[in-house]
Amino acid sequence: MAHQGSCTVIVGCQWGDEGKGKIVDVLAENVDIVARYQGGANAGHTVHVGEDEFVLHQIPSGILHEGRRCLLGNGVVLDVQQFFEEYDALVARGVDIEGRVGVSSRAQLLMPYHRFLDKAVEHSAEVKIGTTGRGIGPAYEDKAGRRGVRVADLGNRARLTERIEAAQERTVRRLTELGAGTEDLDRAMDEALALGDRLLALSTEVGPEISAALRQGRSVLLEGAQGTALDLDHGTYPFVTSSNTTAGGAATGTGIGPTQITDVIGVVKAYTTRVGEGPLPSAFEPEMDEHVRTLGGEFGATTGRPRRCGWFDSVLTRLASQVNGLTGVAVTKLDVLDTLDELQIATAYRLPDGRVTEHFPADTWALGKVEPVYETMPGWKAPTHDVRKLEDLPPKARAYLDRIEELTYAPVRWVSVGTKRSQIIPVG
Ligand code: GDP
């Protein structure tokens, strides 16, 4: 076999919003292809280039690096209207993206009826999941129920119409049962379908394209959305997303084999945040919550919702290390903690029956009742924004990073100390 290039997966280790967009953006400098492997327009990466801010929902943030090829894998549910809105906005801002974006012919199409249904179901649910209302759950339900339509189906209009009509009819029946309106659905469907040929023109075979690049010794980044605790199987079920966000999903979601992956980098925020419903064991007390949310600008990129904040939770990052097989960690937002007097790290959980565990419980309701066991570390009380070398970080900040590394069982490879591309410390 010819020399194999590198294939790195970037995965979130908490509840998403870890700053994966920034890390992908930094690493994309040295790669040829960036591919998304799951999720849809529910993801929101915020990337700062110079004075410009870009919020990307579906197109990989590698697009902001000239010449990189950006792919959406088969594991993605693609909202065509939102996709072209984003595509056209990038063009309007002068990003040269012609010929650089490809979508898997096997990717599922997220149709307007999925969005309608998502909102109606969440609105009427007794136990709310805290979805973004972007139609992601219903689109994955149709995929698993074998009712979905894929990019390749756009090539056969008669079959497409037949499948879509059946799915739409079924959805309208459910919307009616839920007492939800269907106004504007027909217009939204016409708009989505009018973009079909434009999307088809971008379709590609993502697995073979990545494999060929690797055979030629080129470098590939596979970009995850959301985080490990939102993984359909390994997260805080049912308060999760509808896909496998973890590294295994990178293989099935792009069409390559697991042995082609050479590195898995976990992105961890220096503290913890969570948006949407579900337990957050290491949650701050209200005053601290407000303080860190303001310092860290913790409001959702997709929905603007305030994120709940808490201490660094190593029970969760150990789970992430194991499920993803992390070969390294990128710690983000260390600078947000610069002014705190004291920091705590959750090292274990005390269960309601008094037992102490170092493992993340499968029972999500029990997780809501655990008491974290904390270790206290002194704050470094010095700005880190301008630090570019590990040895220039305050010793107490280094001690904090060392402890994260020890408790997570994976080496820290990058430390991010600000939103800008340049605000990164490579380690080792
Ligand atoms: P993602 O979905 O994992 O990419 O995360 P988001 O984009 O939702 O949230 C990350 C936010 O934190 C963005 O606004 C980033 O610009 C910002 N960010 C990323 N890294 C850092 C960092 O090291 N320090 C600070 N202060 N902000 C950061």
Side-chain angles (χ1 to χ4, degrees), residues 16-22 43-48 53 226 267 269 295-301 307 331-336 385 415-419 423:
D17 312 315
E18 296 92 348
K20 295 175 296 295
K22 150 110 191 231
H45 291 320
T46 314
V47 182
H48 293 90
E53 180 182 281
Q226 294 91 37
V267 184
K269 210 177 270 190
L295 286 174
E298 296 296 350
F299 298 89
R307 297 172 183 151
V331 180
T332 61
K333 296 194 135 180
L334 188 73
D335 54 294
V336 172
H385 289 112
V415 182
S416 173
V417 288
T419 57
Q423 290 175 308

PDB file of all heavy atoms in Angstrom, residues 16-22 43-48 53 226 267 269 295-301 307 331-336 385 415-419 423, ligand 1:
ATOM      1  N   GLY A  16     -20.661  19.708  23.937  1.00  0.00           N
ATOM      2  CA  GLY A  16     -20.587  20.575  22.767  1.00  0.00           C
ATOM      3  C   GLY A  16     -20.127  21.964  23.172  1.00  0.00           C
ATOM      4  O   GLY A  16     -19.880  22.228  24.362  1.00  0.00           O
ATOM      5  N   ASP A  17     -19.974  22.839  22.181  1.00  0.00           N
ATOM      6  CA  ASP A  17     -19.537  24.230  22.408  1.00  0.00           C
ATOM      7  C   ASP A  17     -18.167  24.310  23.082  1.00  0.00           C
ATOM      8  O   ASP A  17     -17.870  25.260  23.804  1.00  0.00           O
ATOM      9  CB  ASP A  17     -20.563  25.003  23.282  1.00  0.00           C
ATOM     10  CG  ASP A  17     -21.983  24.815  22.802  1.00  0.00           C
ATOM     11  OD1 ASP A  17     -22.191  24.902  21.589  1.00  0.00           O
ATOM     12  OD2 ASP A  17     -22.875  24.580  23.643  1.00  0.00           O
ATOM     13  N   GLU A  18     -17.330  23.315  22.877  1.00  0.00           N
ATOM     14  CA  GLU A  18     -16.006  23.298  23.519  1.00  0.00           C
ATOM     15  C   GLU A  18     -15.023  24.220  22.818  1.00  0.00           C
ATOM     16  O   GLU A  18     -13.926  24.470  23.327  1.00  0.00           O
ATOM     17  CB  GLU A  18     -15.418  21.868  23.514  1.00  0.00           C
ATOM     18  CG  GLU A  18     -16.200  20.838  24.311  1.00  0.00           C
ATOM     19  CD  GLU A  18     -17.223  20.111  23.452  1.00  0.00           C
ATOM     20  OE1 GLU A  18     -17.475  20.558  22.304  1.00  0.00           O
ATOM     21  OE2 GLU A  18     -17.779  19.103  23.922  1.00  0.00           O
ATOM     22  N   GLY A  19     -15.420  24.701  21.619  1.00  0.00           N
ATOM     23  CA  GLY A  19     -14.484  25.509  20.822  1.00  0.00           C
ATOM     24  C   GLY A  19     -13.830  24.658  19.738  1.00  0.00           C
ATOM     25  O   GLY A  19     -12.713  24.941  19.306  1.00  0.00           O
ATOM     26  N   LYS A  20     -14.560  23.629  19.289  1.00  0.00           N
ATOM     27  CA  LYS A  20     -14.016  22.759  18.228  1.00  0.00           C
ATOM     28  C   LYS A  20     -13.724  23.554  16.963  1.00  0.00           C
ATOM     29  O   LYS A  20     -12.749  23.309  16.272  1.00  0.00           O
ATOM     30  CB  LYS A  20     -15.013  21.635  17.891  1.00  0.00           C
ATOM     31  CG  LYS A  20     -15.241  20.666  19.026  1.00  0.00           C
ATOM     32  CD  LYS A  20     -16.313  19.657  18.671  1.00  0.00           C
ATOM     33  CE  LYS A  20     -17.675  20.269  18.461  1.00  0.00           C
ATOM     34  NZ  LYS A  20     -18.285  20.886  19.647  1.00  0.00           N
ATOM     35  N   GLY A  21     -14.635  24.527  16.664  1.00  0.00           N
ATOM     36  CA  GLY A  21     -14.469  25.337  15.448  1.00  0.00           C
ATOM     37  C   GLY A  21     -13.108  26.009  15.424  1.00  0.00           C
ATOM     38  O   GLY A  21     -12.404  25.980  14.415  1.00  0.00           O
ATOM     39  N   LYS A  22     -12.708  26.564  16.552  1.00  0.00           N
ATOM     40  CA  LYS A  22     -11.422  27.254  16.628  1.00  0.00           C
ATOM     41  C   LYS A  22     -10.267  26.260  16.421  1.00  0.00           C
ATOM     42  O   LYS A  22      -9.306  26.536  15.714  1.00  0.00           O
ATOM     43  CB  LYS A  22     -11.302  27.957  17.993  1.00  0.00           C
ATOM     44  CG  LYS A  22      -9.910  28.102  18.524  1.00  0.00           C
ATOM     45  CD  LYS A  22      -9.402  29.521  18.538  1.00  0.00           C
ATOM     46  CE  LYS A  22      -7.921  29.551  18.816  1.00  0.00           C
ATOM     47  NZ  LYS A  22      -7.522  30.437  19.858  1.00  0.00           N
ATOM     48  N   ALA A  43     -25.481  22.395  14.744  1.00  0.00           N
ATOM     49  CA  ALA A  43     -24.142  22.735  15.217  1.00  0.00           C
ATOM     50  C   ALA A  43     -23.890  24.197  14.891  1.00  0.00           C
ATOM     51  O   ALA A  43     -24.436  24.716  13.931  1.00  0.00           O
ATOM     52  CB  ALA A  43     -23.108  21.877  14.506  1.00  0.00           C
ATOM     53  N   GLY A  44     -23.098  24.860  15.703  1.00  0.00           N
ATOM     54  CA  GLY A  44     -22.748  26.235  15.365  1.00  0.00           C
ATOM     55  C   GLY A  44     -21.324  26.499  15.784  1.00  0.00           C
ATOM     56  O   GLY A  44     -21.020  26.552  16.961  1.00  0.00           O
ATOM     57  N   HIS A  45     -20.442  26.586  14.807  1.00  0.00           N
ATOM     58  CA  HIS A  45     -19.055  26.904  15.129  1.00  0.00           C
ATOM     59  C   HIS A  45     -18.832  28.389  14.902  1.00  0.00           C
ATOM     60  O   HIS A  45     -19.225  28.919  13.874  1.00  0.00           O
ATOM     61  CB  HIS A  45     -18.095  26.163  14.193  1.00  0.00           C
ATOM     62  CG  HIS A  45     -18.064  24.689  14.415  1.00  0.00           C
ATOM     63  ND1 HIS A  45     -18.101  24.126  15.658  1.00  0.00           N
ATOM     64  CD2 HIS A  45     -17.966  23.668  13.548  1.00  0.00           C
ATOM     65  CE1 HIS A  45     -18.035  22.812  15.527  1.00  0.00           C
ATOM     66  NE2 HIS A  45     -17.962  22.509  14.263  1.00  0.00           N
ATOM     67  N   THR A  46     -18.203  29.039  15.863  1.00  0.00           N
ATOM     68  CA  THR A  46     -17.874  30.448  15.693  1.00  0.00           C
ATOM     69  C   THR A  46     -16.376  30.543  15.486  1.00  0.00           C
ATOM     70  O   THR A  46     -15.605  30.052  16.296  1.00  0.00           O
ATOM     71  CB  THR A  46     -18.255  31.233  16.967  1.00  0.00           C
ATOM     72  OG1 THR A  46     -19.564  30.829  17.347  1.00  0.00           O
ATOM     73  CG2 THR A  46     -18.222  32.722  16.737  1.00  0.00           C
ATOM     74  N   VAL A  47     -15.969  31.150  14.382  1.00  0.00           N
ATOM     75  CA  VAL A  47     -14.539  31.257  14.089  1.00  0.00           C
ATOM     76  C   VAL A  47     -14.194  32.717  13.828  1.00  0.00           C
ATOM     77  O   VAL A  47     -14.918  33.413  13.107  1.00  0.00           O
ATOM     78  CB  VAL A  47     -14.178  30.396  12.843  1.00  0.00           C
ATOM     79  CG1 VAL A  47     -12.685  30.457  12.573  1.00  0.00           C
ATOM     80  CG2 VAL A  47     -14.614  28.952  13.031  1.00  0.00           C
ATOM     81  N   HIS A  48     -13.113  33.177  14.459  1.00  0.00           N
ATOM     82  CA  HIS A  48     -12.674  34.561  14.254  1.00  0.00           C
ATOM     83  C   HIS A  48     -11.449  34.585  13.357  1.00  0.00           C
ATOM     84  O   HIS A  48     -10.458  33.924  13.655  1.00  0.00           O
ATOM     85  CB  HIS A  48     -12.344  35.218  15.601  1.00  0.00           C
ATOM     86  CG  HIS A  48     -13.563  35.399  16.448  1.00  0.00           C
ATOM     87  ND1 HIS A  48     -13.986  34.446  17.338  1.00  0.00           N
ATOM     88  CD2 HIS A  48     -14.471  36.397  16.498  1.00  0.00           C
ATOM     89  CE1 HIS A  48     -15.104  34.859  17.923  1.00  0.00           C
ATOM     90  NE2 HIS A  48     -15.419  36.038  17.419  1.00  0.00           N
ATOM     91  N   GLU A  53     -15.981  37.769  12.148  1.00  0.00           N
ATOM     92  CA  GLU A  53     -16.526  36.608  12.856  1.00  0.00           C
ATOM     93  C   GLU A  53     -17.401  35.822  11.879  1.00  0.00           C
ATOM     94  O   GLU A  53     -18.249  36.397  11.199  1.00  0.00           O
ATOM     95  CB  GLU A  53     -17.371  37.074  14.043  1.00  0.00           C
ATOM     96  CG  GLU A  53     -17.944  35.886  14.809  1.00  0.00           C
ATOM     97  CD  GLU A  53     -18.832  36.291  15.977  1.00  0.00           C
ATOM     98  OE1 GLU A  53     -18.290  36.644  17.025  1.00  0.00           O
ATOM     99  OE2 GLU A  53     -20.070  36.214  15.815  1.00  0.00           O
ATOM    100  N   GLN A 226     -21.309  18.903  18.154  1.00  0.00           N
ATOM    101  CA  GLN A 226     -21.751  18.606  19.533  1.00  0.00           C
ATOM    102  C   GLN A 226     -20.618  17.930  20.313  1.00  0.00           C
ATOM    103  O   GLN A 226     -19.472  18.148  19.973  1.00  0.00           O
ATOM    104  CB  GLN A 226     -23.026  17.750  19.539  1.00  0.00           C
ATOM    105  CG  GLN A 226     -24.260  18.461  18.980  1.00  0.00           C
ATOM    106  CD  GLN A 226     -24.470  18.263  17.493  1.00  0.00           C
ATOM    107  OE1 GLN A 226     -24.210  17.200  16.979  1.00  0.00           O
ATOM    108  NE2 GLN A 226     -24.931  19.278  16.817  1.00  0.00           N
ATOM    109  N   VAL A 267     -11.481  17.896  22.195  1.00  0.00           N
ATOM    110  CA  VAL A 267     -11.485  19.312  22.596  1.00  0.00           C
ATOM    111  C   VAL A 267     -12.223  19.423  23.923  1.00  0.00           C
ATOM    112  O   VAL A 267     -13.364  18.957  24.054  1.00  0.00           O
ATOM    113  CB  VAL A 267     -12.152  20.191  21.517  1.00  0.00           C
ATOM    114  CG1 VAL A 267     -12.063  21.661  21.917  1.00  0.00           C
ATOM    115  CG2 VAL A 267     -11.495  19.965  20.154  1.00  0.00           C
ATOM    116  N   LYS A 269     -13.145  22.160  27.118  1.00  0.00           N
ATOM    117  CA  LYS A 269     -13.116  23.504  27.664  1.00  0.00           C
ATOM    118  C   LYS A 269     -12.487  23.403  29.050  1.00  0.00           C
ATOM    119  O   LYS A 269     -12.632  22.369  29.712  1.00  0.00           O
ATOM    120  CB  LYS A 269     -14.572  23.978  27.778  1.00  0.00           C
ATOM    121  CG  LYS A 269     -14.769  25.445  27.645  1.00  0.00           C
ATOM    122  CD  LYS A 269     -16.234  25.794  27.690  1.00  0.00           C
ATOM    123  CE  LYS A 269     -16.893  25.804  26.334  1.00  0.00           C
ATOM    124  NZ  LYS A 269     -18.244  26.371  26.344  1.00  0.00           N
ATOM    125  N   LEU A 295     -17.995  36.030  31.557  1.00  0.00           N
ATOM    126  CA  LEU A 295     -16.570  36.021  31.196  1.00  0.00           C
ATOM    127  C   LEU A 295     -16.330  35.224  29.917  1.00  0.00           C
ATOM    128  O   LEU A 295     -15.543  35.627  29.064  1.00  0.00           O
ATOM    129  CB  LEU A 295     -15.740  35.365  32.321  1.00  0.00           C
ATOM    130  CG  LEU A 295     -15.518  36.151  33.600  1.00  0.00           C
ATOM    131  CD1 LEU A 295     -14.809  35.275  34.631  1.00  0.00           C
ATOM    132  CD2 LEU A 295     -14.666  37.391  33.310  1.00  0.00           C
ATOM    133  N   GLY A 296     -17.035  34.079  29.794  1.00  0.00           N
ATOM    134  CA  GLY A 296     -16.778  33.174  28.669  1.00  0.00           C
ATOM    135  C   GLY A 296     -17.692  33.413  27.478  1.00  0.00           C
ATOM    136  O   GLY A 296     -17.563  32.732  26.466  1.00  0.00           O
ATOM    137  N   GLY A 297     -18.627  34.344  27.605  1.00  0.00           N
ATOM    138  CA  GLY A 297     -19.576  34.589  26.502  1.00  0.00           C
ATOM    139  C   GLY A 297     -20.352  33.325  26.179  1.00  0.00           C
ATOM    140  O   GLY A 297     -20.477  32.928  25.017  1.00  0.00           O
ATOM    141  N   GLU A 298     -20.863  32.663  27.199  1.00  0.00           N
ATOM    142  CA  GLU A 298     -21.480  31.350  27.013  1.00  0.00           C
ATOM    143  C   GLU A 298     -22.961  31.442  26.616  1.00  0.00           C
ATOM    144  O   GLU A 298     -23.853  31.191  27.426  1.00  0.00           O
ATOM    145  CB  GLU A 298     -21.285  30.499  28.269  1.00  0.00           C
ATOM    146  CG  GLU A 298     -19.818  30.172  28.576  1.00  0.00           C
ATOM    147  CD  GLU A 298     -19.148  29.306  27.493  1.00  0.00           C
ATOM    148  OE1 GLU A 298     -19.850  28.806  26.599  1.00  0.00           O
ATOM    149  OE2 GLU A 298     -17.927  29.141  27.550  1.00  0.00           O
ATOM    150  N   PHE A 299     -23.159  31.794  25.360  1.00  0.00           N
ATOM    151  CA  PHE A 299     -24.506  31.828  24.783  1.00  0.00           C
ATOM    152  C   PHE A 299     -24.444  31.072  23.464  1.00  0.00           C
ATOM    153  O   PHE A 299     -23.486  31.224  22.706  1.00  0.00           O
ATOM    154  CB  PHE A 299     -24.962  33.280  24.557  1.00  0.00           C
ATOM    155  CG  PHE A 299     -25.047  34.054  25.845  1.00  0.00           C
ATOM    156  CD1 PHE A 299     -23.952  34.737  26.330  1.00  0.00           C
ATOM    157  CD2 PHE A 299     -26.222  34.051  26.588  1.00  0.00           C
ATOM    158  CE1 PHE A 299     -24.002  35.428  27.538  1.00  0.00           C
ATOM    159  CE2 PHE A 299     -26.293  34.738  27.793  1.00  0.00           C
ATOM    160  CZ  PHE A 299     -25.184  35.427  28.274  1.00  0.00           C
ATOM    161  N   GLY A 300     -25.445  30.217  23.191  1.00  0.00           N
ATOM    162  CA  GLY A 300     -25.403  29.331  22.020  1.00  0.00           C
ATOM    163  C   GLY A 300     -25.220  30.063  20.697  1.00  0.00           C
ATOM    164  O   GLY A 300     -25.860  31.083  20.468  1.00  0.00           O
ATOM    165  N   ALA A 301     -24.340  29.492  19.823  1.00  0.00           N
ATOM    166  CA  ALA A 301     -24.092  30.097  18.507  1.00  0.00           C
ATOM    167  C   ALA A 301     -25.291  29.898  17.578  1.00  0.00           C
ATOM    168  O   ALA A 301     -25.515  30.681  16.666  1.00  0.00           O
ATOM    169  CB  ALA A 301     -22.832  29.502  17.892  1.00  0.00           C
ATOM    170  N   ARG A 307     -25.852  29.303  28.225  1.00  0.00           N
ATOM    171  CA  ARG A 307     -25.378  27.958  28.605  1.00  0.00           C
ATOM    172  C   ARG A 307     -25.198  27.914  30.112  1.00  0.00           C
ATOM    173  O   ARG A 307     -24.720  28.878  30.705  1.00  0.00           O
ATOM    174  CB  ARG A 307     -24.037  27.677  27.932  1.00  0.00           C
ATOM    175  CG  ARG A 307     -24.127  27.657  26.429  1.00  0.00           C
ATOM    176  CD  ARG A 307     -22.729  27.564  25.793  1.00  0.00           C
ATOM    177  NE  ARG A 307     -22.837  27.616  24.348  1.00  0.00           N
ATOM    178  CZ  ARG A 307     -21.905  28.103  23.539  1.00  0.00           C
ATOM    179  NH1 ARG A 307     -20.766  28.575  24.035  1.00  0.00           N
ATOM    180  NH2 ARG A 307     -22.077  28.110  22.242  1.00  0.00           N
ATOM    181  N   VAL A 331      -7.104  21.923  25.084  1.00  0.00           N
ATOM    182  CA  VAL A 331      -7.845  22.618  26.151  1.00  0.00           C
ATOM    183  C   VAL A 331      -8.144  24.030  25.663  1.00  0.00           C
ATOM    184  O   VAL A 331      -7.232  24.751  25.251  1.00  0.00           O
ATOM    185  CB  VAL A 331      -7.038  22.682  27.464  1.00  0.00           C
ATOM    186  CG1 VAL A 331      -7.827  23.417  28.546  1.00  0.00           C
ATOM    187  CG2 VAL A 331      -6.666  21.279  27.938  1.00  0.00           C
ATOM    188  N   THR A 332      -9.418  24.424  25.676  1.00  0.00           N
ATOM    189  CA  THR A 332      -9.785  25.761  25.210  1.00  0.00           C
ATOM    190  C   THR A 332     -10.244  26.641  26.378  1.00  0.00           C
ATOM    191  O   THR A 332     -10.588  26.142  27.450  1.00  0.00           O
ATOM    192  CB  THR A 332     -10.931  25.697  24.186  1.00  0.00           C
ATOM    193  OG1 THR A 332     -12.065  25.106  24.814  1.00  0.00           O
ATOM    194  CG2 THR A 332     -10.553  24.898  22.955  1.00  0.00           C
ATOM    195  N   LYS A 333     -10.242  27.932  26.112  1.00  0.00           N
ATOM    196  CA  LYS A 333     -10.806  28.930  27.024  1.00  0.00           C
ATOM    197  C   LYS A 333     -10.134  28.965  28.398  1.00  0.00           C
ATOM    198  O   LYS A 333     -10.784  29.289  29.399  1.00  0.00           O
ATOM    199  CB  LYS A 333     -12.325  28.719  27.159  1.00  0.00           C
ATOM    200  CG  LYS A 333     -13.053  28.949  25.826  1.00  0.00           C
ATOM    201  CD  LYS A 333     -14.529  29.072  25.999  1.00  0.00           C
ATOM    202  CE  LYS A 333     -15.107  30.210  25.228  1.00  0.00           C
ATOM    203  NZ  LYS A 333     -16.527  30.399  25.336  1.00  0.00           N
ATOM    204  N   LEU A 334      -8.865  28.615  28.431  1.00  0.00           N
ATOM    205  CA  LEU A 334      -8.138  28.710  29.696  1.00  0.00           C
ATOM    206  C   LEU A 334      -8.181  30.151  30.215  1.00  0.00           C
ATOM    207  O   LEU A 334      -8.327  30.390  31.413  1.00  0.00           O
ATOM    208  CB  LEU A 334      -6.673  28.272  29.496  1.00  0.00           C
ATOM    209  CG  LEU A 334      -5.868  28.153  30.777  1.00  0.00           C
ATOM    210  CD1 LEU A 334      -6.288  26.917  31.566  1.00  0.00           C
ATOM    211  CD2 LEU A 334      -4.369  28.119  30.512  1.00  0.00           C
ATOM    212  N   ASP A 335      -8.106  31.110  29.287  1.00  0.00           N
ATOM    213  CA  ASP A 335      -8.089  32.538  29.651  1.00  0.00           C
ATOM    214  C   ASP A 335      -9.329  32.975  30.431  1.00  0.00           C
ATOM    215  O   ASP A 335      -9.268  33.917  31.219  1.00  0.00           O
ATOM    216  CB  ASP A 335      -7.976  33.391  28.377  1.00  0.00           C
ATOM    217  CG  ASP A 335      -9.066  33.050  27.370  1.00  0.00           C
ATOM    218  OD1 ASP A 335      -9.059  31.913  26.852  1.00  0.00           O
ATOM    219  OD2 ASP A 335      -9.946  33.900  27.129  1.00  0.00           O
ATOM    220  N   VAL A 336     -10.446  32.278  30.229  1.00  0.00           N
ATOM    221  CA  VAL A 336     -11.698  32.660  30.898  1.00  0.00           C
ATOM    222  C   VAL A 336     -11.544  32.523  32.423  1.00  0.00           C
ATOM    223  O   VAL A 336     -12.198  33.211  33.194  1.00  0.00           O
ATOM    224  CB  VAL A 336     -12.877  31.808  30.355  1.00  0.00           C
ATOM    225  CG1 VAL A 336     -14.141  32.041  31.150  1.00  0.00           C
ATOM    226  CG2 VAL A 336     -13.093  32.099  28.882  1.00  0.00           C
ATOM    227  N   HIS A 385      -3.831  35.608  27.789  1.00  0.00           N
ATOM    228  CA  HIS A 385      -4.144  35.885  26.367  1.00  0.00           C
ATOM    229  C   HIS A 385      -2.931  35.944  25.459  1.00  0.00           C
ATOM    230  O   HIS A 385      -2.979  35.530  24.312  1.00  0.00           O
ATOM    231  CB  HIS A 385      -4.831  37.259  26.252  1.00  0.00           C
ATOM    232  CG  HIS A 385      -6.206  37.272  26.780  1.00  0.00           C
ATOM    233  ND1 HIS A 385      -6.566  37.970  27.910  1.00  0.00           N
ATOM    234  CD2 HIS A 385      -7.324  36.659  26.341  1.00  0.00           C
ATOM    235  CE1 HIS A 385      -7.836  37.783  28.147  1.00  0.00           C
ATOM    236  NE2 HIS A 385      -8.324  36.997  27.223  1.00  0.00           N
ATOM    237  N   VAL A 415      -3.235  24.383  23.865  1.00  0.00           N
ATOM    238  CA  VAL A 415      -3.993  25.160  24.849  1.00  0.00           C
ATOM    239  C   VAL A 415      -4.413  26.447  24.154  1.00  0.00           C
ATOM    240  O   VAL A 415      -3.572  27.156  23.585  1.00  0.00           O
ATOM    241  CB  VAL A 415      -3.134  25.495  26.091  1.00  0.00           C
ATOM    242  CG1 VAL A 415      -3.965  26.265  27.110  1.00  0.00           C
ATOM    243  CG2 VAL A 415      -2.556  24.225  26.714  1.00  0.00           C
ATOM    244  N   SER A 416      -5.711  26.731  24.185  1.00  0.00           N
ATOM    245  CA  SER A 416      -6.214  27.927  23.526  1.00  0.00           C
ATOM    246  C   SER A 416      -6.478  28.995  24.585  1.00  0.00           C
ATOM    247  O   SER A 416      -7.074  28.713  25.625  1.00  0.00           O
ATOM    248  CB  SER A 416      -7.493  27.564  22.768  1.00  0.00           C
ATOM    249  OG  SER A 416      -8.088  28.718  22.244  1.00  0.00           O
ATOM    250  N   VAL A 417      -6.016  30.211  24.306  1.00  0.00           N
ATOM    251  CA  VAL A 417      -6.117  31.284  25.309  1.00  0.00           C
ATOM    252  C   VAL A 417      -6.825  32.528  24.756  1.00  0.00           C
ATOM    253  O   VAL A 417      -6.586  33.647  25.210  1.00  0.00           O
ATOM    254  CB  VAL A 417      -4.716  31.655  25.868  1.00  0.00           C
ATOM    255  CG1 VAL A 417      -4.187  30.569  26.781  1.00  0.00           C
ATOM    256  CG2 VAL A 417      -3.727  31.944  24.737  1.00  0.00           C
ATOM    257  N   GLY A 418      -7.687  32.327  23.775  1.00  0.00           N
ATOM    258  CA  GLY A 418      -8.433  33.455  23.217  1.00  0.00           C
ATOM    259  C   GLY A 418      -9.125  33.024  21.945  1.00  0.00           C
ATOM    260  O   GLY A 418      -8.917  31.903  21.463  1.00  0.00           O
ATOM    261  N   THR A 419      -9.944  33.923  21.405  1.00  0.00           N
ATOM    262  CA  THR A 419     -10.733  33.542  20.223  1.00  0.00           C
ATOM    263  C   THR A 419      -9.912  33.563  18.931  1.00  0.00           C
ATOM    264  O   THR A 419     -10.269  32.915  17.960  1.00  0.00           O
ATOM    265  CB  THR A 419     -11.922  34.509  20.043  1.00  0.00           C
ATOM    266  OG1 THR A 419     -11.393  35.834  19.954  1.00  0.00           O
ATOM    267  CG2 THR A 419     -12.894  34.432  21.198  1.00  0.00           C
ATOM    268  N   GLN A 423      -4.035  32.860  19.090  1.00  0.00           N
ATOM    269  CA  GLN A 423      -4.031  32.651  20.549  1.00  0.00           C
ATOM    270  C   GLN A 423      -4.063  31.159  20.890  1.00  0.00           C
ATOM    271  O   GLN A 423      -5.041  30.645  21.433  1.00  0.00           O
ATOM    272  CB  GLN A 423      -5.194  33.398  21.185  1.00  0.00           C
ATOM    273  CG  GLN A 423      -4.977  34.904  21.134  1.00  0.00           C
ATOM    274  CD  GLN A 423      -6.142  35.695  21.646  1.00  0.00           C
ATOM    275  OE1 GLN A 423      -7.281  35.505  21.213  1.00  0.00           O
ATOM    276  NE2 GLN A 423      -5.901  36.587  22.590  1.00  0.00           N
TER     277      GLN A 423
HETATM  278  P1  GDP B   1     -17.853  24.741  18.985  1.00  0.00           P
HETATM  279  O1  GDP B   1     -19.210  24.429  18.482  1.00  0.00           O
HETATM  280  O2  GDP B   1     -17.278  23.615  19.781  1.00  0.00           O
HETATM  281  O3  GDP B   1     -16.920  25.233  17.909  1.00  0.00           O
HETATM  282  O4  GDP B   1     -17.977  25.933  20.029  1.00  0.00           O
HETATM  283  P2  GDP B   1     -18.670  27.374  19.828  1.00  0.00           P
HETATM  284  O5  GDP B   1     -18.190  28.010  18.591  1.00  0.00           O
HETATM  285  O6  GDP B   1     -20.116  27.291  20.057  1.00  0.00           O
HETATM  286  O7  GDP B   1     -18.115  28.096  21.117  1.00  0.00           O
HETATM  287  C1  GDP B   1     -16.858  28.433  21.227  1.00  0.00           C
HETATM  288  C2  GDP B   1     -16.797  29.932  21.480  1.00  0.00           C
HETATM  289  O8  GDP B   1     -15.667  30.175  22.249  1.00  0.00           O
HETATM  290  C3  GDP B   1     -16.603  30.766  20.221  1.00  0.00           C
HETATM  291  O9  GDP B   1     -17.226  31.999  20.371  1.00  0.00           O
HETATM  292  C4  GDP B   1     -15.100  30.899  20.123  1.00  0.00           C
HETATM  293  O10 GDP B   1     -14.686  32.053  19.428  1.00  0.00           O
HETATM  294  C5  GDP B   1     -14.752  30.992  21.556  1.00  0.00           C
HETATM  295  N1  GDP B   1     -13.427  30.454  21.882  1.00  0.00           N
HETATM  296  C6  GDP B   1     -12.814  29.360  21.369  1.00  0.00           C
HETATM  297  N2  GDP B   1     -11.618  29.176  21.961  1.00  0.00           N
HETATM  298  C7  GDP B   1     -11.498  30.165  22.892  1.00  0.00           C
HETATM  299  C8  GDP B   1     -10.499  30.498  23.851  1.00  0.00           C
HETATM  300  O11 GDP B   1      -9.479  29.822  24.003  1.00  0.00           O
HETATM  301  N3  GDP B   1     -10.758  31.578  24.654  1.00  0.00           N
HETATM  302  C9  GDP B   1     -11.878  32.332  24.547  1.00  0.00           C
HETATM  303  N4  GDP B   1     -12.031  33.356  25.373  1.00  0.00           N
HETATM  304  N5  GDP B   1     -12.830  32.051  23.654  1.00  0.00           N
HETATM  305  C10 GDP B   1     -12.654  30.980  22.836  1.00  0.00           C
END
